[in-house]
Amino acid sequence: MTYTLHEDSSDGQMIQKVTEDRPFVYLFGVGGLLPSFKANLEGLNAGDDFSFSLKKEDAYGVHMEENILKLDKTIFEIDGVFDEEAIKEGEVVPMEDENGYPLSGKILEVADDHVLVDFNHPLAGMNLYFEGKILDVRDATKEELAHGHVHGPGGHHHH
């Protein structure tokens, strides 16, 4: 499928555009897509246009203050030296939570003894508006279902 994603409505700021040269390929029934997004696509056929809004509560949730953390500056040291190159205001840094799960944090402030990091999803707090077109619909192969992702053009390739 192709789509454009705007904030709030078709007149809102464009956040993402997916075009026919690199369409978005999705395997139904395997997670990874917002349930509310999936529900809006169910039953559509090739050639169908779609447009729908998702309230922030059905998208990436509201922006939560408790997801903004003050982290000790020593966390960002490499061999005892603070990494000034990577850790600066506005940068998005890959990190892990206490269970080793990957997540991204946006650096809001670098202070003398701490770094203020926002772990909210970048689209948290936004109402989303999707507009697009279904290019093609086909049955998944047994192999795709077994692997949990799409193979072939536009899909995942094994090397």
Side-chain angles (χ1 to χ4, degrees):
M1 74 181 86
T2 57
Y3 68 82
T4 13
L5 166 58
H6 292 265
E7 188 176 353
D8 285 326
S9 71
S10 58
D11 304 326
Q13 186 184 340
M14 189 168 78
I15 299 167
Q16 186 184 28
K17 188 176 178 72
V18 176
T19 54
E20 282 197 36
D21 52 328
R22 300 205 44 201
F24 177 75
V25 179
Y26 175 64
L27 183 58
F28 256 92
V30 179
L33 207 55
L34 293 169
S36 47
F37 183 89
K38 196 179 114 182
N40 278 286
L41 297 177
E42 210 114 36
L44 292 179
N45 298 307
D48 286 355
D49 292 315
F50 61 86
S51 62
F52 56 88
S53 300
L54 298 181
K55 294 239 173 295
K56 53 182 169 262
E57 294 78 10
D58 296 325
Y60 292 97
V62 294
H63 196 270
M64 300 198 316
E65 285 301 313
E66 57 264 36
N67 290 339
I68 297 176
L69 302 178
K70 261 186 187 177
L71 300 178
D72 195 306
K73 220 168 168 178
T74 55
I75 294 173
F76 300 100
E77 289 179 359
I78 297 170
D79 300 330
V81 180
F82 180 74
D83 186 354
E84 282 180 26
E85 278 303 294
I87 311 303
K88 50 187 182 232
E89 218 173 288
E91 290 295 314
V92 175
V93 182
M95 298 180 76
E96 289 181 353
D97 68 10
E98 62 276 9
N99 302 313
Y101 287 107
L103 54 117
S104 293
K106 184 173 184 178
I107 310 296
L108 299 181
E109 178 194 23
V110 177
D112 290 342
D113 58 346
H114 70 268
V115 177
L116 199 59
V117 186
D118 184 352
F119 288 106
N120 283 290
H121 188 282
L123 300 179
M126 287 187 198
N127 298 315
L128 305 179
Y129 176 80
F130 289 93
E131 198 167 25
K133 182 175 189 152
I134 305 295
L135 299 177
D136 190 25
V137 178
R138 64 171 171 80
D139 290 333
T141 64
K142 285 194 175 95
E143 187 188 24
E144 287 173 330
L145 291 171
H147 289 211
H149 55 240
V150 178
H151 291 223
H156 177 89
H157 300 276
H158 291 281
H159 297 289

